[in-house]
Amino acid sequence: MTVAQMEQFSRERPAKGEARATPGAGTAAVARIPAAGAGDIVLIVSQDTDITGRDQALTGAPLQRAGAALAAQLHG
């Protein structure tokens, strides 16, 4: 992920209850979970980023869906 991609990703937070895959290789998904009271809970789902061990089937959109499914099971 480039610095520009990281800056843009950090500015464009997911909506409450949503997950987003990181730009580039999409090896992580970040979900925002509403919490009781002030603030939010952040769930990060990732796999080993060693290129030789990375499962391409669990990057990008599939990883984003997995993060959203896990986040839907959590309540703050």
Side-chain angles (χ1 to χ4, degrees), residues 16-18 30-36 38-44 71 74-76:
K16 291 181 180 184
E18 284 187 351
V30 177
R32 185 174 168 206
I33 302 163
D40 297 318
I41 299 168
V42 175
L43 172 69
I44 300 173
L74 303 175
H75 306 283

Side-chain angles (χ1 to χ4, degrees), residues 23-52:
T27 58
V30 177
R32 185 174 168 206
I33 302 163
D40 297 318
I41 299 168
V42 175
L43 172 69
I44 300 173
V45 180
S46 182
Q47 62 172 301
D48 184 355
T49 57
D50 174 6
I51 293 174
T52 59

Side-chain angles (χ1 to χ4, degrees), residues 4-15 18-21 23 30 32:
Q5 287 173 319
M6 187 182 326
E7 288 174 347
Q8 182 177 358
F9 185 79
S10 67
R11 283 192 306 267
E12 298 173 356
R13 311 188 297 175
E18 284 187 351
R20 287 193 322 134
V30 177
R32 185 174 168 206

